[in-house]
Amino acid sequence: MQKVLDSNIRICCIGAGYVGGPSMVVIADKCPEILVNVVDINPDRIKNWNDEEYKEIPIFEPNLLPLLKRTRGKNLFFSTDVHQEISLADIIFICVNTPTKQIGVGAGRASNLQWLELCAREIATHAKGNTIVVEKSTVPVKTAEVIKDILITETINNISKEKKYFSVLSNPEFLSEGNAIKDLQDPDRILIGGDNINAIDKLSSIYEHWVPKDKIIKTNLWSSELSKLTANAFLAQRISSINSISALCEITGADIKEVSKAIGGDKRIGNKFISSGPGFGGSCFKKDLLNLTYLCEYYGLSEVALYWNQVLEINNWQQKRISKVVIEKLFRNISGKKIAIFGFAFKADTNDTRESPSINICMDLINEGAVLKIHDPKVKEIEIQKAFEDFLENNKELKNNKKLIDLRKVWNYYDSIYDASKNVDAILILTEWSNYKTISWEEIYKVMRKPAWVFDTRLVTNPDEVKKNGIKLWVLGQG
């Protein structure tokens, strides 16, 4: 039984994923007088969020658990009661997935708004009275217009003729996975876009519990939506830029770490997002860049679309380049050879594998005949299998390759770094987990096949420590 709090604000968040879950946990923690209900149609996800021992929480984020323990069952609840919570809510956050379309107009680039539209229809049907609808999912510009049209149309066609009023706001998230709680507790800015000043002020009043007013930016709807796409495009651009220079460093004898430090010392550039690696991943960067290029082409800005598409091309090229380096160093033949993969999440401090560079690189190696031994401290075996299956589903030409019919014969999962290293020809570090920085290479070398190789794409190893044990080492961006 939910406790009735002394508050005139009740929140419903549709979507208990990487955005909805952590966002609502922090709001509940900072606003104990507000009742926050997170709903999802996936019963397993809700069951995990409600796990009594907190061992099956579906998202790993540093510092998430203490806040969840402090709020769950008090003013924060997780359920599948979508219709009921919509009907009781004053403010509804839409935090559902908006993946890239796979078929139809704009396939491969435009966002699939299927779930967002479904949410809008459910809200129009079940909401009561005055309701603020907050678009938090990353969406194309003008999506709020779609939500408005659905809400208005469904309300007009409402048989009960009950009076309903909706205000649609854009409140995009600017979270960095692995730092999501910190980003939520101490944000650079909060962006609220809309045309109803009262609704904007009401949402702003929630954030003002812990965010200074001068950090809350109020804009029109379209500026807010475009700002989110543009921010991710700029961040992805920086990663592709430094990765392009990493290849030049390897040829000229420069060191990408030294180059990054030198250019990052310029205040005009700064030192964020200029660490070279195997490329960007996660749910947003690729999707938002594809969306941005599609929008530019739709509005006749072909040169702009080509510019931003090149950021994606460099990202793909970097991953292919790493795969080719591994093959080249292992005598141009990896058929039947065992390779340990250290790290499958797209970055450290998260268990998210969406668009992880590890997926493309692993599939390249598997396609060349390698057998992979995969370790990741937070990504579960079943999540890796799903990532591979989704990759093949979206790459039909590989799915029909006879070598890949039984995918489980060409990779295995290991809980131990030591066990994953046994009898391998090479170790490929793809995620910058802290425990990869303290590996005893002396012990690892003993169980590897010789000649033993380590490929460090995250610059986490101590080269002298690795080499003194007889291991051959390749480090990204070092000549």
Side-chain angles (χ1 to χ4, degrees), residues 8 148 152 201 210 267 302 322 348 362 458:
N8 60 354
K148 280 184 175 182
I152 292 171
D201 287 345
W210 76 96
K267 292 180 181 178
S302 57
I322 290 169
C362 284
R458 292 291 190 171

Side-chain angles (χ1 to χ4, degrees), residues 113-145:
L113 302 179
Q114 173 188 358
W115 299 113
L116 190 139
E117 288 187 23
L118 179 61
C119 287
R121 296 186 193 282
E122 293 292 314
I123 292 168
T125 302
H126 299 285
K128 296 180 180 179
N130 292 307
T131 307
I132 298 173
V133 180
V134 183
E135 166 195 271
K136 207 160 186 64
S137 301
T138 303
V139 295
V141 182
K142 299 288 186 179
T143 299
E145 203 167 74

